[in-house]
Amino acid sequence: MKGISNQKGFSLIELLLVVVIVGIIAAMAIPAYQKGIRAAENGSVFSILRTVSSTQVQYFSQNSRFATLPEINSTMSNQIGVTTADKVVRGRYVFEMPPGTTPTTLAEGYTISAVRSVSDDVVYRYEVNQSGKITRILPAGGPVD
């Protein structure tokens, strides 16, 4: 009789050990991947808000008032996102102006906010106004990305 030691292959313990190691690596990699995606989205929105601010200055010089979001999105060839009523949606971000914004109030100034609100995730909110300063409102106390 020959012993079992002559058989080739992996034992159950070895296979379980490999599965556990792969699980640990995945548990560490997925949050890092999600953080990278969030940082890329935030950087993209920050860039869009800069472009919106400079486009608003140009619009004001031609029309003696700042533009509404649908107007600015149209001026930018819909680069911000998809216009729905008085909001513009781009990915997980919604760009909007405060309620009650009219052409009369836009002669004095504007505020545009970009809000990223996804269930089970951190809410990000950026605002830009006629001064061109982009401010991160949420999460509170954090630096501007």
Side-chain angles (χ1 to χ4, degrees), residues 28-64:
M28 291 186 308
I30 290 174
Y33 175 73
Q34 290 172 337
K35 183 178 179 182
I37 289 176
R38 214 174 15 250
E41 288 174 343
N42 292 346
S44 173
V45 166
F46 196 80
S47 174
I48 289 169
L49 288 176
R50 275 195 215 132
T51 305
V52 165
S53 178
S54 63
T55 306
Q56 283 282 37
V57 170
Q58 180 183 8
Y59 191 93
F60 186 85
S61 68
Q62 295 173 356
N63 300 295
S64 300

mmCIF file of all heavy atoms in Angstrom, residues 28-64:
data_model
loop_
_atom_site.group_PDB
_atom_site.id
_atom_site.type_symbol
_atom_site.label_atom_id
_atom_site.label_comp_id
_atom_site.label_asym_id
_atom_site.label_seq_id
_atom_site.Cartn_x
_atom_site.Cartn_y
_atom_site.Cartn_z
ATOM 1 N N MET A 28 -9.174 45.736 2.062
ATOM 2 C CA MET A 28 -8.355 46.941 2.145
ATOM 3 C C MET A 28 -8.407 47.747 0.844
ATOM 4 O O MET A 28 -8.328 48.974 0.872
ATOM 5 C CB MET A 28 -6.900 46.575 2.448
ATOM 6 C CG MET A 28 -6.704 46.025 3.835
ATOM 7 S SD MET A 28 -4.981 45.747 4.306
ATOM 8 C CE MET A 28 -4.351 44.770 2.976
ATOM 9 N N ALA A 29 -8.555 47.099 -0.284
ATOM 10 C CA ALA A 29 -8.483 47.782 -1.575
ATOM 11 C C ALA A 29 -9.770 48.510 -1.933
ATOM 12 O O ALA A 29 -9.715 49.601 -2.517
ATOM 13 C CB ALA A 29 -8.141 46.775 -2.672
ATOM 14 N N ILE A 30 -10.909 47.974 -1.615
ATOM 15 C CA ILE A 30 -12.184 48.573 -2.031
ATOM 16 C C ILE A 30 -12.382 49.969 -1.427
ATOM 17 O O ILE A 30 -12.724 50.902 -2.152
ATOM 18 C CB ILE A 30 -13.358 47.627 -1.731
ATOM 19 C CG1 ILE A 30 -13.269 46.426 -2.681
ATOM 20 C CG2 ILE A 30 -14.693 48.332 -1.868
ATOM 21 C CD1 ILE A 30 -14.263 45.335 -2.406
ATOM 22 N N PRO A 31 -12.179 50.184 -0.132
ATOM 23 C CA PRO A 31 -12.326 51.554 0.395
ATOM 24 C C PRO A 31 -11.351 52.553 -0.234
ATOM 25 O O PRO A 31 -11.709 53.705 -0.469
ATOM 26 C CB PRO A 31 -12.054 51.404 1.894
ATOM 27 C CG PRO A 31 -12.379 49.980 2.186
ATOM 28 C CD PRO A 31 -11.976 49.223 0.958
ATOM 29 N N ALA A 32 -10.130 52.112 -0.513
ATOM 30 C CA ALA A 32 -9.160 53.007 -1.149
ATOM 31 C C ALA A 32 -9.614 53.376 -2.556
ATOM 32 O O ALA A 32 -9.481 54.525 -2.987
ATOM 33 C CB ALA A 32 -7.784 52.355 -1.189
ATOM 34 N N TYR A 33 -10.164 52.422 -3.264
ATOM 35 C CA TYR A 33 -10.691 52.663 -4.612
ATOM 36 C C TYR A 33 -11.851 53.655 -4.562
ATOM 37 O O TYR A 33 -11.918 54.585 -5.354
ATOM 38 C CB TYR A 33 -11.128 51.335 -5.230
ATOM 39 C CG TYR A 33 -11.807 51.464 -6.562
ATOM 40 C CD1 TYR A 33 -11.079 51.789 -7.696
ATOM 41 C CD2 TYR A 33 -13.174 51.256 -6.691
ATOM 42 C CE1 TYR A 33 -11.698 51.911 -8.930
ATOM 43 C CE2 TYR A 33 -13.802 51.380 -7.919
ATOM 44 C CZ TYR A 33 -13.060 51.694 -9.033
ATOM 45 O OH TYR A 33 -13.674 51.821 -10.240
ATOM 46 N N GLN A 34 -12.767 53.470 -3.614
ATOM 47 C CA GLN A 34 -13.908 54.381 -3.482
ATOM 48 C C GLN A 34 -13.456 55.784 -3.114
ATOM 49 O O GLN A 34 -14.001 56.766 -3.603
ATOM 50 C CB GLN A 34 -14.888 53.838 -2.435
ATOM 51 C CG GLN A 34 -15.612 52.591 -2.883
ATOM 52 C CD GLN A 34 -16.438 51.956 -1.783
ATOM 53 O OE1 GLN A 34 -16.179 52.156 -0.598
ATOM 54 N NE2 GLN A 34 -17.433 51.187 -2.182
ATOM 55 N N LYS A 35 -12.449 55.894 -2.260
ATOM 56 C CA LYS A 35 -11.921 57.210 -1.894
ATOM 57 C C LYS A 35 -11.314 57.899 -3.103
ATOM 58 O O LYS A 35 -11.473 59.106 -3.290
ATOM 59 C CB LYS A 35 -10.880 57.052 -0.788
ATOM 60 C CG LYS A 35 -10.327 58.351 -0.279
ATOM 61 C CD LYS A 35 -9.332 58.145 0.836
ATOM 62 C CE LYS A 35 -8.761 59.462 1.312
ATOM 63 N NZ LYS A 35 -7.758 59.277 2.351
ATOM 64 N N GLY A 36 -10.636 57.145 -3.947
ATOM 65 C CA GLY A 36 -10.058 57.704 -5.163
ATOM 66 C C GLY A 36 -11.119 58.217 -6.122
ATOM 67 O O GLY A 36 -10.969 59.284 -6.724
ATOM 68 N N ILE A 37 -12.205 57.464 -6.266
ATOM 69 C CA ILE A 37 -13.307 57.896 -7.130
ATOM 70 C C ILE A 37 -13.927 59.179 -6.586
ATOM 71 O O ILE A 37 -14.193 60.125 -7.330
ATOM 72 C CB ILE A 37 -14.367 56.789 -7.260
ATOM 73 C CG1 ILE A 37 -13.808 55.654 -8.117
ATOM 74 C CG2 ILE A 37 -15.667 57.323 -7.852
ATOM 75 C CD1 ILE A 37 -14.731 54.465 -8.238
ATOM 76 N N ARG A 38 -14.148 59.239 -5.275
ATOM 77 C CA ARG A 38 -14.733 60.429 -4.650
ATOM 78 C C ARG A 38 -13.833 61.639 -4.858
ATOM 79 O O ARG A 38 -14.295 62.737 -5.176
ATOM 80 C CB ARG A 38 -14.944 60.153 -3.162
ATOM 81 C CG ARG A 38 -16.133 60.800 -2.581
ATOM 82 C CD ARG A 38 -16.456 60.435 -1.133
ATOM 83 N NE ARG A 38 -15.453 59.773 -0.348
ATOM 84 C CZ ARG A 38 -15.519 58.507 0.052
ATOM 85 N NH1 ARG A 38 -16.530 57.758 -0.293
ATOM 86 N NH2 ARG A 38 -14.569 57.987 0.796
ATOM 87 N N ALA A 39 -12.526 61.460 -4.700
ATOM 88 C CA ALA A 39 -11.585 62.568 -4.891
ATOM 89 C C ALA A 39 -11.592 63.050 -6.336
ATOM 90 O O ALA A 39 -11.533 64.259 -6.595
ATOM 91 C CB ALA A 39 -10.181 62.141 -4.480
ATOM 92 N N ALA A 40 -11.693 62.132 -7.283
ATOM 93 C CA ALA A 40 -11.743 62.514 -8.700
ATOM 94 C C ALA A 40 -13.016 63.288 -9.012
ATOM 95 O O ALA A 40 -12.988 64.292 -9.736
ATOM 96 C CB ALA A 40 -11.644 61.279 -9.584
ATOM 97 N N GLU A 41 -14.150 62.837 -8.473
ATOM 98 C CA GLU A 41 -15.419 63.552 -8.688
ATOM 99 C C GLU A 41 -15.352 64.952 -8.088
ATOM 100 O O GLU A 41 -15.799 65.916 -8.700
ATOM 101 C CB GLU A 41 -16.582 62.784 -8.054
ATOM 102 C CG GLU A 41 -16.965 61.522 -8.784
ATOM 103 C CD GLU A 41 -18.026 60.724 -8.049
ATOM 104 O OE1 GLU A 41 -18.245 60.952 -6.832
ATOM 105 O OE2 GLU A 41 -18.647 59.864 -8.692
ATOM 106 N N ASN A 42 -14.802 65.060 -6.874
ATOM 107 C CA ASN A 42 -14.701 66.366 -6.223
ATOM 108 C C ASN A 42 -13.790 67.306 -7.009
ATOM 109 O O ASN A 42 -14.088 68.495 -7.149
ATOM 110 C CB ASN A 42 -14.197 66.212 -4.793
ATOM 111 C CG ASN A 42 -15.203 65.532 -3.895
ATOM 112 O OD1 ASN A 42 -16.370 65.392 -4.233
ATOM 113 N ND2 ASN A 42 -14.753 65.070 -2.746
ATOM 114 N N GLY A 43 -12.698 66.798 -7.520
ATOM 115 C CA GLY A 43 -11.801 67.613 -8.336
ATOM 116 C C GLY A 43 -12.467 68.091 -9.613
ATOM 117 O O GLY A 43 -12.288 69.233 -10.040
ATOM 118 N N SER A 44 -13.256 67.224 -10.220
ATOM 119 C CA SER A 44 -13.982 67.585 -11.442
ATOM 120 C C SER A 44 -14.997 68.696 -11.158
ATOM 121 O O SER A 44 -15.106 69.653 -11.919
ATOM 122 C CB SER A 44 -14.686 66.353 -12.003
ATOM 123 O OG SER A 44 -15.514 66.704 -13.077
ATOM 124 N N VAL A 45 -15.717 68.572 -10.055
ATOM 125 C CA VAL A 45 -16.712 69.594 -9.702
ATOM 126 C C VAL A 45 -16.033 70.916 -9.381
ATOM 127 O O VAL A 45 -16.507 71.980 -9.769
ATOM 128 C CB VAL A 45 -17.591 69.107 -8.521
ATOM 129 C CG1 VAL A 45 -18.380 70.238 -7.919
ATOM 130 C CG2 VAL A 45 -18.512 68.006 -9.000
ATOM 131 N N PHE A 46 -14.914 70.868 -8.693
ATOM 132 C CA PHE A 46 -14.169 72.086 -8.378
ATOM 133 C C PHE A 46 -13.747 72.789 -9.663
ATOM 134 O O PHE A 46 -13.873 74.012 -9.797
ATOM 135 C CB PHE A 46 -12.949 71.722 -7.521
ATOM 136 C CG PHE A 46 -12.326 72.875 -6.816
ATOM 137 C CD1 PHE A 46 -12.863 73.377 -5.649
ATOM 138 C CD2 PHE A 46 -11.186 73.473 -7.326
ATOM 139 C CE1 PHE A 46 -12.281 74.448 -4.996
ATOM 140 C CE2 PHE A 46 -10.599 74.544 -6.685
ATOM 141 C CZ PHE A 46 -11.145 75.033 -5.511
ATOM 142 N N SER A 47 -13.295 72.022 -10.632
ATOM 143 C CA SER A 47 -12.899 72.578 -11.930
ATOM 144 C C SER A 47 -14.092 73.188 -12.660
ATOM 145 O O SER A 47 -13.989 74.265 -13.257
ATOM 146 C CB SER A 47 -12.263 71.476 -12.784
ATOM 147 O OG SER A 47 -12.007 71.939 -14.072
ATOM 148 N N ILE A 48 -15.226 72.510 -12.618
ATOM 149 C CA ILE A 48 -16.443 73.029 -13.262
ATOM 150 C C ILE A 48 -16.865 74.342 -12.611
ATOM 151 O O ILE A 48 -17.237 75.296 -13.299
ATOM 152 C CB ILE A 48 -17.577 71.994 -13.202
ATOM 153 C CG1 ILE A 48 -17.269 70.829 -14.143
ATOM 154 C CG2 ILE A 48 -18.919 72.615 -13.559
ATOM 155 C CD1 ILE A 48 -18.173 69.645 -13.973
ATOM 156 N N LEU A 49 -16.793 74.412 -11.282
ATOM 157 C CA LEU A 49 -17.179 75.653 -10.601
ATOM 158 C C LEU A 49 -16.254 76.805 -10.977
ATOM 159 O O LEU A 49 -16.704 77.947 -11.101
ATOM 160 C CB LEU A 49 -17.210 75.443 -9.086
ATOM 161 C CG LEU A 49 -18.367 74.586 -8.575
ATOM 162 C CD1 LEU A 49 -18.242 74.363 -7.068
ATOM 163 C CD2 LEU A 49 -19.712 75.209 -8.913
ATOM 164 N N ARG A 50 -14.974 76.532 -11.176
ATOM 165 C CA ARG A 50 -14.056 77.582 -11.647
ATOM 166 C C ARG A 50 -14.464 78.074 -13.031
ATOM 167 O O ARG A 50 -14.467 79.269 -13.308
ATOM 168 C CB ARG A 50 -12.628 77.040 -11.715
ATOM 169 C CG ARG A 50 -11.901 77.119 -10.434
ATOM 170 C CD ARG A 50 -10.405 76.919 -10.671
ATOM 171 N NE ARG A 50 -9.877 76.198 -9.525
ATOM 172 C CZ ARG A 50 -9.103 75.141 -9.573
ATOM 173 N NH1 ARG A 50 -8.732 74.647 -10.723
ATOM 174 N NH2 ARG A 50 -8.680 74.571 -8.483
ATOM 175 N N THR A 51 -14.790 77.137 -13.911
ATOM 176 C CA THR A 51 -15.202 77.499 -15.267
ATOM 177 C C THR A 51 -16.508 78.274 -15.243
ATOM 178 O O THR A 51 -16.676 79.250 -15.977
ATOM 179 C CB THR A 51 -15.341 76.236 -16.138
ATOM 180 O OG1 THR A 51 -14.114 75.509 -16.089
ATOM 181 C CG2 THR A 51 -15.669 76.575 -17.568
ATOM 182 N N VAL A 52 -17.445 77.845 -14.405
ATOM 183 C CA VAL A 52 -18.727 78.555 -14.272
ATOM 184 C C VAL A 52 -18.488 79.977 -13.803
ATOM 185 O O VAL A 52 -19.085 80.928 -14.324
ATOM 186 C CB VAL A 52 -19.669 77.802 -13.305
ATOM 187 C CG1 VAL A 52 -20.831 78.680 -12.872
ATOM 188 C CG2 VAL A 52 -20.188 76.530 -13.952
ATOM 189 N N SER A 53 -17.597 80.157 -12.849
ATOM 190 C CA SER A 53 -17.312 81.491 -12.327
ATOM 191 C C SER A 53 -16.774 82.417 -13.417
ATOM 192 O O SER A 53 -17.236 83.556 -13.555
ATOM 193 C CB SER A 53 -16.302 81.379 -11.179
ATOM 194 O OG SER A 53 -15.983 82.651 -10.692
ATOM 195 N N SER A 54 -15.834 81.928 -14.214
ATOM 196 C CA SER A 54 -15.290 82.780 -15.280
ATOM 197 C C SER A 54 -16.327 83.027 -16.380
ATOM 198 O O SER A 54 -16.379 84.120 -16.952
ATOM 199 C CB SER A 54 -14.017 82.177 -15.865
ATOM 200 O OG SER A 54 -14.276 80.947 -16.477
ATOM 201 N N THR A 55 -17.180 82.054 -16.645
ATOM 202 C CA THR A 55 -18.232 82.236 -17.645
ATOM 203 C C THR A 55 -19.275 83.236 -17.141
ATOM 204 O O THR A 55 -19.813 84.021 -17.924
ATOM 205 C CB THR A 55 -18.891 80.885 -17.988
ATOM 206 O OG1 THR A 55 -17.872 79.961 -18.379
ATOM 207 C CG2 THR A 55 -19.891 81.025 -19.111
ATOM 208 N N GLN A 56 -19.537 83.221 -15.844
ATOM 209 C CA GLN A 56 -20.483 84.182 -15.271
ATOM 210 C C GLN A 56 -19.969 85.614 -15.430
ATOM 211 O O GLN A 56 -20.740 86.524 -15.727
ATOM 212 C CB GLN A 56 -20.728 83.885 -13.778
ATOM 213 C CG GLN A 56 -21.642 82.719 -13.523
ATOM 214 C CD GLN A 56 -23.110 83.056 -13.722
ATOM 215 O OE1 GLN A 56 -23.496 83.820 -14.607
ATOM 216 N NE2 GLN A 56 -23.956 82.464 -12.901
ATOM 217 N N VAL A 57 -18.683 85.818 -15.262
ATOM 218 C CA VAL A 57 -18.103 87.160 -15.430
ATOM 219 C C VAL A 57 -18.300 87.630 -16.866
ATOM 220 O O VAL A 57 -18.689 88.775 -17.124
ATOM 221 C CB VAL A 57 -16.606 87.164 -15.045
ATOM 222 C CG1 VAL A 57 -15.933 88.464 -15.443
ATOM 223 C CG2 VAL A 57 -16.445 86.900 -13.564
ATOM 224 N N GLN A 58 -18.050 86.739 -17.804
ATOM 225 C CA GLN A 58 -18.234 87.071 -19.221
ATOM 226 C C GLN A 58 -19.707 87.362 -19.516
ATOM 227 O O GLN A 58 -20.024 88.334 -20.209
ATOM 228 C CB GLN A 58 -17.748 85.912 -20.096
ATOM 229 C CG GLN A 58 -17.893 86.148 -21.574
ATOM 230 C CD GLN A 58 -17.468 84.929 -22.384
ATOM 231 O OE1 GLN A 58 -17.201 83.867 -21.835
ATOM 232 N NE2 GLN A 58 -17.422 85.087 -23.693
ATOM 233 N N TYR A 59 -20.608 86.557 -18.979
ATOM 234 C CA TYR A 59 -22.045 86.754 -19.197
ATOM 235 C C TYR A 59 -22.482 88.104 -18.617
ATOM 236 O O TYR A 59 -23.260 88.831 -19.235
ATOM 237 C CB TYR A 59 -22.835 85.603 -18.557
ATOM 238 C CG TYR A 59 -24.285 85.565 -18.952
ATOM 239 C CD1 TYR A 59 -24.705 84.791 -20.029
ATOM 240 C CD2 TYR A 59 -25.249 86.301 -18.266
ATOM 241 C CE1 TYR A 59 -26.041 84.741 -20.408
ATOM 242 C CE2 TYR A 59 -26.580 86.261 -18.634
ATOM 243 C CZ TYR A 59 -26.970 85.487 -19.704
ATOM 244 O OH TYR A 59 -28.303 85.444 -20.077
ATOM 245 N N PHE A 60 -21.975 88.447 -17.426
ATOM 246 C CA PHE A 60 -22.336 89.706 -16.796
ATOM 247 C C PHE A 60 -21.888 90.895 -17.639
ATOM 248 O O PHE A 60 -22.622 91.879 -17.774
ATOM 249 C CB PHE A 60 -21.719 89.799 -15.396
ATOM 250 C CG PHE A 60 -22.157 91.018 -14.627
ATOM 251 C CD1 PHE A 60 -23.333 90.994 -13.905
ATOM 252 C CD2 PHE A 60 -21.391 92.177 -14.615
ATOM 253 C CE1 PHE A 60 -23.752 92.111 -13.189
ATOM 254 C CE2 PHE A 60 -21.792 93.293 -13.911
ATOM 255 C CZ PHE A 60 -22.982 93.253 -13.196
ATOM 256 N N SER A 61 -20.713 90.824 -18.219
ATOM 257 C CA SER A 61 -20.217 91.944 -19.023
ATOM 258 C C SER A 61 -21.048 92.151 -20.288
ATOM 259 O O SER A 61 -21.132 93.262 -20.800
ATOM 260 C CB SER A 61 -18.748 91.725 -19.392
ATOM 261 O OG SER A 61 -18.616 90.645 -20.288
ATOM 262 N N GLN A 62 -21.692 91.105 -20.775
ATOM 263 C CA GLN A 62 -22.514 91.211 -21.985
ATOM 264 C C GLN A 62 -23.979 91.523 -21.698
ATOM 265 O O GLN A 62 -24.658 92.110 -22.532
ATOM 266 C CB GLN A 62 -22.435 89.908 -22.786
ATOM 267 C CG GLN A 62 -21.055 89.627 -23.327
ATOM 268 C CD GLN A 62 -20.956 88.249 -23.973
ATOM 269 O OE1 GLN A 62 -21.900 87.474 -23.953
ATOM 270 N NE2 GLN A 62 -19.802 87.952 -24.542
ATOM 271 N N ASN A 63 -24.480 91.125 -20.499
ATOM 272 C CA ASN A 63 -25.919 91.231 -20.228
ATOM 273 C C ASN A 63 -26.280 92.061 -18.996
ATOM 274 O O ASN A 63 -27.450 92.144 -18.638
ATOM 275 C CB ASN A 63 -26.511 89.822 -20.064
ATOM 276 C CG ASN A 63 -26.322 88.989 -21.311
ATOM 277 O OD1 ASN A 63 -26.872 89.285 -22.355
ATOM 278 N ND2 ASN A 63 -25.505 87.948 -21.211
ATOM 279 N N SER A 64 -25.309 92.603 -18.302
ATOM 280 C CA SER A 64 -25.518 93.409 -17.095
ATOM 281 C C SER A 64 -26.228 92.630 -15.988
ATOM 282 O O SER A 64 -26.896 93.210 -15.137
ATOM 283 C CB SER A 64 -26.297 94.685 -17.408
ATOM 284 O OG SER A 64 -25.583 95.467 -18.340
#
